[in-house]
Amino acid sequence: MHLDHDEEDYNLSLSKFESMLKTNKVFFFDSEEFEEIILHYLDMGKANLAKKALKLGLEQHPKSTGLKLVQVEMLVYDDKLEIAEKMLNELYAIEPTNEEIFIQKANIYSKRDNHVKAVELLQEALKYTEDLADVYNLIGMEYLFMDNLEKAKENFKSCLEVDIEDQSALYNVVYCYEFLDQNAEAIEYIKTYIDRNPYSEIAWHQKGRLYYGLKDYVNAVRAFEYATYIDEEFMGAFMENGKALERLKRYEEAIENYQRTIDLDDPTSYALLRIGKCHEKLGNKAEALKYFNKTVHEDPLLDKGWIAITDFYVRQKNFQKALFYVNKALAIDDQNRAYWKRFATINKAMNFYEEAELGFRKAVEFGDNHLDTWLFWVDILQFLGEFDSAVMTLLQATEFFPEEYQIEYRLAGFYLILNDTEKGTFHLSNALRLNFNNHTLLEELFPTVWTIKKVQSLIKKHNK
């Protein structure tokens, strides 16, 4: 590989500077060389070496505006805003048309959360700069800070008009469209962008993502495939294509795309998990289990991997193994309501009712407000003979489901069992009013209550 002339000069300057530091000899560099050396060290995160280079640079070129502006940038980075501002005012008096002065002033105002003033200064910089794309990008970012997504989008588009290869601006345009819930409009914009830059794999990938968001999986696949034709090592496009193909139930092709990501790099637990899911959908149970096990081997802390194995064994009705694996998931995330519900359901299937009650209780405690979770919990409490707890649970459930006949029939049954006839008949009347057709639910759940004369007379009364 041959380096171009500028790159060779740059590498020589860097080597020469580092040699100077080691030998304590003083070599001469022009101011632009110093600027490049300083920016190199800043990019590498080597602030001390950057400061050494700046000090030597200013000693050799005390009047260099470029070096002083680099110094300002470093001062702003260190939050020494007042010193930086004073230096910029001095530089402005010498070079009032230097765009970098306006950019650095804008940076200071941005740091002080005065984004309106920052935009004003950047718009001044536009008058003098040759790098319009960079300034438009900076203005776009200021508008993002102000949550003005429309203006931000407009400036990122202006950046792309000047520099069509600016990938960060393209990502930001799409972000603005998505944030504004304008996916269809974003697709139209990407189409015009692709007309100008048809070999942009990023644009095709973003187009695919937008179609995926609109659930247009056929067009999403087409876009992702174009991205992978342009860049045969585009892992993100292969992964997203796999997801879209899964949605279309094209599981063999989805597996091929997920496998491609593994061929390109180390296997990710997500890709292994998705391959396992695809094999399960295809009825390849042994392959599915193999990939689920590979998933948890690759990332033992990936709770979703353990849950995939749990669900696999639940579907096989192998509850003993399912219980083992759901406990693995809960050991990683013991505040996940979905995992607690699985724990409860598995224990219920195994007739471990106290454990099942704990599971449903924990599921609700961590935010599961599905009606069936509450009802399963209450029915387990009934089986355990904890009628008072069942009543308290049902009353709590009414806060989420105030007009739910299944809750009312259960409250009626429990109150009548507890000999609170007044409350029992009140809730039975409510239940019959809400849904008379399912009144036999009371008989199924509370056969002893069903035979009470008052209950039968209430039912007959509502049947008229």
Side-chain angles (χ1 to χ4, degrees):
M1 188 177 86
H2 297 287
L3 297 175
D4 64 38
H5 193 67
D6 288 344
E7 196 171 348
E8 281 182 2
D9 286 350
Y10 167 71
N11 287 335
L12 280 170
S13 297
L14 204 58
S15 299
K16 186 172 145 188
F17 179 78
E18 289 182 352
S19 171
M20 183 179 78
L21 291 178
K22 287 174 187 172
T23 60
N24 286 325
K25 292 179 182 176
V26 177
F27 299 134
F28 180 83
F29 299 86
D30 67 37
S31 61
E32 286 186 5
E33 282 182 293
F34 269 120
E35 283 179 48
E36 286 178 353
I37 291 165
I38 295 161
L39 292 172
H40 166 79
Y41 286 129
L42 287 175
D43 288 341
M44 297 287 289
K46 297 179 178 179
N48 286 336
L49 283 173
K51 285 174 182 175
K52 274 186 187 177
L54 176 64
K55 183 174 180 291
L56 288 165
L58 286 170
E59 283 171 4
Q60 290 188 13
H61 306 280
K63 293 184 179 179
S64 166
T65 302
L67 285 172
K68 286 179 180 177
L69 283 167
V70 171
Q71 185 179 16
V72 166
E73 192 174 338
M74 290 171 73
L75 287 166
V76 172
Y77 182 80
D78 289 335
D79 280 327
K80 296 175 180 175
L81 304 184
E82 288 75 15
I83 302 170
E85 194 167 30
K86 187 176 178 228
M87 281 188 67
L88 285 170
N89 289 334
E90 290 168 1
L91 289 169
Y92 177 74
I94 303 164
E95 293 190 27
T97 60
N98 186 322
E99 78 276 9
E100 192 61 33
I101 293 170
F102 293 100
I103 290 169
Q104 289 305 328
K105 277 193 170 188
N107 197 7
I108 290 170
Y109 278 102
S110 184
K111 280 215 160 195
R112 290 171 175 163
D113 291 327
N114 189 344
H115 303 294
V116 173
K117 183 65 178 174
V119 167
E120 284 177 23
L121 288 159
L122 289 168
Q123 284 169 340
E124 281 295 307
L126 280 175
K127 296 174 185 176
Y128 307 113
T129 188
E130 291 180 4
D131 191 357
L132 290 165
D134 186 46
V135 180
Y136 278 126
N137 237 333
L138 291 170
I139 295 171
M141 292 307 298
E142 292 302 319
Y143 278 120
L144 279 184
F145 293 139
M146 290 189 274
D147 293 326
N148 189 335
L149 277 294
E150 285 291 352
K151 284 281 189 184
K153 181 174 68 176
E154 183 184 306
N155 280 276
F156 291 130
K157 281 184 178 181
S158 296
C159 170
L160 289 167
E161 288 297 320
V162 179
D163 180 5
I164 199 165
E165 298 291 344
D166 192 316
Q167 292 182 1
S168 68
L170 182 59
Y171 280 121
N172 282 327
V173 167
V174 174
Y175 168 79
C176 292
Y177 273 117
E178 286 186 297
F179 192 90
L180 293 164
D181 199 20
Q182 297 172 348
N183 282 33
E185 293 90 335
I187 289 169
E188 290 308 309
Y189 175 76
I190 290 285
K191 283 179 181 175
T192 62
Y193 178 89
I194 287 172
D195 287 342
R196 294 169 57 217
N197 191 8
Y199 297 107
S200 168
E201 72 276 19
I202 301 299
W204 283 107
H205 178 245
Q206 291 300 302
K207 189 178 180 185
R209 281 186 58 256
L210 290 160
Y211 274 125
Y212 189 93
L214 292 172
K215 299 185 179 179
D216 184 347
Y217 303 119
V218 172
N219 275 316
V221 166
R222 192 173 293 124
F224 290 136
E225 283 178 349
Y226 272 113
T228 60
Y229 295 152
I230 297 163
D231 181 355
E232 293 178 353
E233 297 186 354
F234 195 162
M235 276 187 60
F238 282 112
M239 189 72 81
E240 299 277 0
N241 200 25
K243 286 165 59 181
L245 287 162
E246 268 196 82
R247 294 286 188 175
L248 293 170
K249 301 184 179 179
R250 290 159 59 180
Y251 300 116
E252 291 95 341
E253 293 168 81
I255 289 169
E256 286 173 19
N257 278 267
Y258 292 133
Q259 186 60 51
R260 187 79 178 102
T261 70
I262 293 169
D263 296 340
L264 287 168
D265 202 355
D266 293 333
T268 64
S269 54
Y270 180 81
L272 293 167
L273 178 62
R274 295 320 312 167
I275 292 173
K277 295 267 189 184
C278 289
H279 276 300
E280 190 173 14
K281 290 278 171 55
L282 290 166
N284 305 331
K285 292 176 185 176
E287 281 295 296
L289 190 57
K290 181 177 90 174
Y291 276 95
F292 292 150
N293 282 318
K294 280 185 177 183
T295 302
V296 294
H297 177 75
E298 184 65 33
D299 184 359
L301 295 178
L302 182 71
D303 44 340
K304 288 182 176 64
W306 298 111
I307 283 296
I309 302 176
T310 300
D311 292 343
F312 176 85
Y313 282 119
V314 166
R315 283 188 279 273
Q316 307 305 310
K317 299 196 184 305
N318 188 337
F319 298 114
Q320 193 71 46
K321 283 192 173 178
L323 184 60
F324 173 78
Y325 288 107
V326 79
N327 277 319
K328 288 271 193 182
L330 283 167
I332 298 165
D333 183 1
D334 65 355
Q335 296 186 14
N336 189 306
R337 56 183 178 267
Y339 299 173
W340 279 112
K341 189 169 182 175
R342 282 177 174 83
F343 173 86
T345 305
I346 293 163
N347 276 291
K348 182 169 174 271
M350 297 173 73
N351 299 323
F352 298 159
Y353 294 106
E354 289 185 3
E355 289 83 356
E357 188 275 328
L358 168 69
F360 288 125
R361 174 159 38 91
K362 286 284 190 182
V364 169
E365 184 182 319
F366 291 120
D368 185 333
N369 286 320
H370 291 99
L371 178 62
D372 69 330
T373 309
W374 290 90
L375 297 180
F376 283 138
W377 181 16
V378 169
D379 293 346
I380 293 288
L381 287 169
Q382 181 183 357
F383 182 85
L384 294 171
E386 297 181 20
F387 301 149
D388 288 321
S389 294
V391 168
M392 293 299 294
T393 301
L394 285 166
L395 291 173
Q396 193 181 343
T398 58
E399 294 175 20
F400 300 97
F401 310 99
E403 292 280 284
E404 177 50 59
Y405 76 90
Q406 296 191 73
I407 291 175
E408 292 297 317
Y409 277 120
R410 282 171 171 81
L411 278 170
F414 282 120
Y415 276 125
L416 289 166
I417 281 176
L418 294 166
N419 296 316
D420 191 332
T421 307
E422 185 181 344
K423 287 182 181 176
T425 53
F426 169 79
H427 286 287
L428 180 55
S429 295
N430 272 350
L432 293 166
R433 172 180 59 80
L434 291 166
N435 190 322
F436 179 81
N437 291 337
N438 283 298
H439 68 277
T440 53
L441 182 63
L442 188 68
E443 183 181 16
E444 291 167 27
L445 295 171
F446 305 95
T448 56
V449 167
W450 178 257
T451 58
I452 296 171
K453 286 182 181 179
K454 192 165 184 67
V455 168
Q456 288 302 314
S457 64
L458 259 175
I459 291 169
K460 283 174 185 173
K461 181 181 172 185
H462 276 82
N463 197 24
K464 288 179 182 177

